[in-house]
Amino acid sequence: MFESRYRDKKYLSQYSLSVELFEEFNLKVQDVIPIRNVFILCTDKGNKILKKIDYSINDLEFINSAMKFIKGKFSRVFDFVKTKDNKIYTIFNGDVYCVMDLIDGRECDFYNAVDVSIAAKGLGELHSAAEGFKCNINNKVVCGKTIDKFNRKLEEIEFFKSIANLHEHKNEFDKVFLDNVNYYSDLIKKSIEILNGSAYYKLCSEEDKVVLCHHDLAYHNVLIYNEEAYFIDFDYAIIDLKVHDLCNFILKAIKECAFDIEKAELIIKDYCSNNLLDKREFEVLYGLMIFPEDFYSIARDYYTRRKEWEEEAFVERIKKRVLNKEDKEEFLEEFKKRFCID
Amino acid sequence: MAIDKAYDSLLDYLDQNGIRVGEINTVVNYRDITEEQALEQLLIISEFHKKIIGYNGYMNIRLDNKTGKIVEQYKIYNKKLKRDIKKIKLNKPENQYEELLLEVGDLYLDRAEASVEEIYKWDYIDLISRSMQRVEICLGCTDFNNIAKEEGIVISSLDNCCYNMVENDGVYLINKLKKKGLTMNWENLIYKYCDFEGLEYKSAKFISGLVSYPYEFMKCCSRYRENKKDWDELKYKQKLLKIIERDNLT
């Protein structure tokens, strides 16, 4: 009936929920409610979000300046609550905390065609407002680096393959991985080939094609309120081609719907009601969509022990991802036809 | 804890609106249910909807949102079955289940696709928008053992309660009655239900579309495809045969 609120309980238990911390933000807190990896604070100044920051102050300042820039043209992003010292964060017991206003929306539902349409229109607007944002933090500027990154990921996949092959007693994950790895390696190669043959680098040099990308457009980071989309949690934001963000959004929105081409086409139509895409961008979008991020990321998380999941959780996930193979293949074929990609 | 508070908040809301959550004393035997009783049940369901509509949750903790999910699921079933049949035709059936699927699959697929087409023909997206704007809530399970009218409306379990189009609660009951092998004037039930809910003609067409969807058949094929149950091919074949037989009866 209600979705679980305690998936991140280990992380949540590291928070300080102290009155002194709240006082730093001039807040009197009556109640705290965990939600994902943050807390909702019920305060004398309305409902807020308390977030413990696990990245650098520089990165936080990057997000802050990006929000300020976007707010010039697009208001539906979050606001930081300032501390007594007029800062956007405070350091408490050695941890960095910030507080944001709670947006009173509900999470976007990717099964719901109306929600998806609202989100796609909103993304078009967000990208328009984020055009021209600049920064000099090297790891935040991804534009022009994708082909190199894909080549690196291909090497990593080959490395994971050698690890799996080394295992004398192959477990279930190894078996599923090895059964499929050549297929996915070929897809990475194809993705690189298409990007190399496209106007990728040219687009990266054109100002109106590069924006601040949200880069984590999961359903819970898009809130719907009064039939408009609000965007939150810019922790992973980067500067890159807008089709990078659009690619991630489309794939996230359609993967649970057997890669429904109609849905993808509607997303593009709605996105383009507030933004523009040219033929070259569609080609790059196609190249980006071919990259099997789902397969790569589960293999990386498993072989580099990035996540503290049970073995069964990994096996279940990789099996589910390879089940989508035919759906995605059909989708890409159809996408190519509909968007006239040579 | 937050979830408990959210649950208490929903219970309070229901209580304030005259809905009790607890044991249902009325015992119903499905074999004896008349069309009149089915209509009465649909009326109770629509009363429930009117009382709970607009509930917006405790703080940011909301009920699950299933608006639009069922049709998306049906579209996936259609797409996958189409591919299965194509593969069997190409490679020849491997077992008795696949032989049966080859025999009847196209018929069921046509039915399933026609059902989804019908749904889209009648302004489905507009129905979703209406449901979202009105903050409609479904009980999810609307059979006689989960919602009844005693002194007031009584709900046995809120486990499947979610944001969804109110049409879906009617579909649930009608499908349940059909599954029990009862014969009624389904069209009459659908139109009366829409009357109770104050819904337009297109909602009746949407409900007809969903009710005519061969869910049991498609679900069985999905289970076989994904190897979800510990059943062999013969068991799957038997399951399909049972569904086909029941379809012929209704």
Side-chain angles (χ1 to χ4, degrees):
Chain A
M1 181 172 56
F2 298 108
E3 67 167 290
S4 167
R5 299 275 135 176
Y6 306 113
R7 270 177 294 190
D8 297 292
K9 60 183 173 190
K10 202 171 166 189
Y11 187 76
L12 288 167
S13 66
Q14 296 166 11
Y15 270 71
S16 281
L17 296 174
S18 152
V19 174
E20 290 94 72
L21 169 62
F22 303 143
E23 278 173 355
E24 283 298 313
F25 291 93
N26 268 322
L27 296 171
K28 288 194 175 68
V29 175
Q30 290 116 26
D31 202 356
V32 291
I33 295 166
I35 177 165
R36 302 196 184 281
N37 61 354
V38 299
F39 280 93
I40 297 177
L41 308 178
C42 312
T43 82
D44 58 331
K45 295 188 178 75
N47 296 327
K48 310 285 177 194
I49 296 285
L50 175 71
K51 184 173 181 132
K52 190 162 89 67
I53 303 297
D54 51 11
Y55 41 82
S56 72
I57 302 289
N58 268 354
D59 287 354
L60 185 63
E61 291 294 357
F62 164 77
I63 296 171
N64 188 34
S65 54
M67 290 306 99
K68 277 186 188 162
F69 184 90
I70 289 170
K71 284 254 174 190
K73 287 184 186 161
F74 182 83
S75 60
R76 301 196 306 274
V77 288
F78 68 90
D79 276 315
F80 283 107
V81 173
K82 296 278 175 66
T83 64
K84 282 175 179 171
D85 308 329
N86 205 31
K87 289 199 306 195
I88 57 159
Y89 66 90
T90 192
I91 298 174
F92 192 84
N93 286 347
D95 289 321
V96 179
Y97 290 92
C98 63
V99 172
M100 289 154 283
D101 286 332
L102 176 79
I103 294 167
D104 193 23
R106 55 173 181 78
E107 289 173 351
C108 176
D109 177 6
F110 286 162
Y111 282 106
N112 181 333
V114 175
D115 273 13
V116 173
S117 164
I118 293 171
K121 284 177 189 159
L123 184 62
E125 276 184 84
L126 175 73
H127 282 171
S128 281
E131 198 183 303
F133 177 71
K134 301 261 187 315
C135 98
N136 52 14
I137 304 174
N138 189 39
N139 67 344
K140 295 288 177 190
V141 184
V142 178
C143 199
K145 298 176 184 167
T146 298
I147 298 177
D148 286 347
K149 205 168 77 186
F150 283 4
N151 273 312
R152 218 165 39 243
K153 286 181 176 183
L154 179 62
E155 283 169 19
E156 283 176 46
I157 280 280
E158 294 298 334
F159 178 64
F160 302 146
K161 187 175 154 185
S162 61
I163 296 176
N165 274 324
L166 272 177
H167 293 159
E168 203 160 313
H169 300 289
K170 294 185 179 34
N171 61 25
E172 211 177 344
F173 189 95
D174 291 333
K175 284 177 193 159
V176 181
F177 173 75
L178 288 171
D179 282 348
N180 291 281
V181 67
N182 289 341
Y183 171 84
Y184 286 106
S185 290
D186 286 346
L187 277 185
I188 299 178
K189 287 174 198 158
K190 190 177 171 193
S191 168
I192 293 169
E193 192 187 310
I194 287 171
L195 289 177
N196 270 326
S198 74
Y200 173 74
Y201 288 110
K202 177 81 180 65
L203 288 174
C204 290
S205 68
E206 293 176 22
E207 287 230 334
D208 63 332
K209 306 292 184 281
V210 179
V211 299
L212 177 93
C213 290
H214 182 285
H215 203 214
D216 186 21
L217 290 163
Y219 68 95
H220 51 82
N221 287 333
V222 184
L223 302 180
I224 311 285
Y225 181 66
N226 269 346
E227 293 178 50
E228 286 189 306
Y230 289 71
F231 296 89
I232 57 167
D233 196 350
F234 283 72
D235 286 2
Y236 299 99
I238 49 167
I239 292 173
D240 200 0
L241 291 176
K242 57 190 173 191
V243 283
H244 180 180
D245 234 7
L246 185 60
C247 164
N248 291 348
F249 178 70
I250 292 174
L251 294 180
K252 278 191 163 82
I254 66 172
K255 73 174 178 190
E256 297 298 335
C257 303
F259 289 87
D260 184 354
I261 183 71
E262 309 295 337
K263 204 171 200 171
E265 200 167 11
L266 281 175
I267 290 172
I268 290 171
K269 191 172 146 250
D270 286 322
Y271 178 89
C272 289
S273 66
N274 290 319
N275 212 309
L276 290 172
L277 293 175
D278 68 26
K279 194 174 180 298
R280 299 169 306 156
E281 285 175 291
F282 279 113
E283 197 170 2
V284 172
L285 176 61
Y286 174 67
L288 293 173
M289 284 198 298
I290 292 175
F291 186 88
E293 183 62 36
D294 267 6
F295 184 80
Y296 162 78
S297 61
I298 191 76
R300 176 202 60 198
D301 292 346
Y302 183 77
Y303 289 111
T304 62
R305 300 283 182 266
R306 268 207 193 194
K307 304 253 188 210
E308 290 176 27
W309 294 341
E310 300 288 327
E311 181 77 19
E312 296 82 57
F314 278 110
V315 173
E316 201 183 300
R317 279 176 165 90
I318 194 169
K319 278 185 174 172
K320 197 179 168 202
R321 288 173 195 198
V322 298
L323 261 182
N324 280 335
K325 214 189 260 180
E326 287 172 305
D327 292 329
K328 193 170 175 189
E329 252 176 49
E330 280 178 17
F331 162 76
L332 288 168
E333 267 313 301
E334 197 53 37
F335 186 90
K336 198 174 164 184
K337 274 187 220 156
R338 292 194 190 194
F339 294 95
C340 311
I341 292 154
D342 306 326
Chain B
M1 300 300 268
I3 295 290
D4 300 335
K5 281 185 181 175
Y7 186 70
D8 287 347
S9 151
L10 177 62
L11 286 185
D12 284 349
Y13 187 82
L14 291 172
D15 190 47
Q16 282 158 21
N17 286 285
I19 298 170
R20 179 172 69 83
V21 178
E23 205 179 321
I24 291 176
N25 299 313
T26 327
V27 181
V28 172
N29 187 343
Y30 266 94
R31 276 178 309 184
D32 306 328
I33 287 171
T34 61
E35 194 167 322
E36 204 175 316
Q37 280 174 297
L39 279 170
E40 179 63 25
Q41 183 70 359
L42 288 169
L43 184 62
I44 298 169
I45 295 165
S46 67
E47 274 182 43
F48 166 78
H49 289 153
K50 283 178 189 123
K51 286 173 187 284
I52 199 173
I53 197 165
Y55 173 73
N56 237 331
Y58 170 78
M59 291 295 302
N60 223 28
I61 303 175
R62 294 161 197 281
L63 293 164
D64 290 345
N65 188 352
K66 294 190 181 162
T67 315
K69 199 166 183 171
I70 194 163
V71 176
E72 289 302 320
Q73 184 59 59
Y74 288 178
K75 280 158 63 185
I76 296 170
Y77 282 156
N78 293 1
K79 188 176 178 178
K80 302 227 173 190
L81 183 64
K82 194 174 193 168
R83 191 188 295 140
D84 290 349
I85 295 172
K86 198 174 156 189
K87 272 190 203 163
I88 297 172
K89 280 179 184 167
L90 205 70
N91 306 322
K92 305 274 179 270
E94 281 181 9
N95 53 50
Q96 290 190 36
Y97 162 85
E98 292 190 0
E99 278 168 16
L100 179 61
L101 189 60
L102 192 60
E103 202 181 308
V104 297
D106 277 330
L107 210 72
Y108 272 90
L109 183 63
D110 285 349
R111 222 176 106 187
E113 287 181 336
S115 157
V116 172
E117 258 175 50
E118 181 74 3
I119 287 165
Y120 272 91
K121 209 164 83 186
W122 291 93
D123 221 352
Y124 167 57
I125 302 297
D126 194 50
L127 297 181
I128 294 182
S129 298
R130 180 218 67 219
S131 170
M132 287 162 65
Q133 278 159 14
R134 298 195 331 156
V135 193
E136 291 177 0
I137 293 171
C138 280
L139 187 55
C141 169
T142 50
D143 67 33
F144 289 82
N145 303 319
N146 198 43
I147 174 167
K149 198 162 190 182
E150 291 174 349
E151 277 173 26
I153 293 176
V154 193
I155 307 280
S156 170
S157 164
L158 289 167
D159 286 354
N160 297 307
C161 202
C162 60
Y163 293 107
N164 205 346
M165 301 149 76
V166 288
E167 285 91 340
N168 286 287
D169 269 352
V171 172
Y172 181 95
L173 183 72
I174 292 168
N175 277 340
K176 182 99 184 180
L177 296 170
K178 281 180 116 178
K179 201 174 168 184
K180 294 283 175 189
L182 293 165
T183 313
M184 293 183 188
N185 182 347
W186 306 116
E187 208 170 313
N188 181 45
L189 289 185
I190 293 169
Y191 284 107
K192 286 274 169 51
Y193 178 65
C194 289
D195 251 6
F196 299 153
E197 293 278 358
L199 297 171
E200 293 177 70
Y201 180 70
K202 56 189 176 189
S203 288
K205 300 307 275 182
F206 169 76
I207 296 174
S208 296
L210 280 187
V211 167
S212 65
Y213 189 83
Y215 172 75
E216 297 293 331
F217 186 92
M218 305 300 271
K219 178 89 189 158
C220 184
C221 297
S222 165
R223 281 176 171 161
Y224 172 81
R225 183 185 315 116
E226 289 174 21
N227 202 11
K228 282 240 168 117
K229 297 266 178 186
D230 199 14
W231 295 343
D232 61 14
E233 295 83 3
L234 259 180
K235 176 93 176 170
Y236 276 108
K237 183 191 170 186
Q238 282 160 2
K239 288 275 170 191
L240 274 195
L241 282 171
K242 210 173 159 188
I243 292 164
I244 295 165
E245 189 189 353
R246 200 162 52 220
D247 273 350
N248 288 336
L249 288 174
T250 54

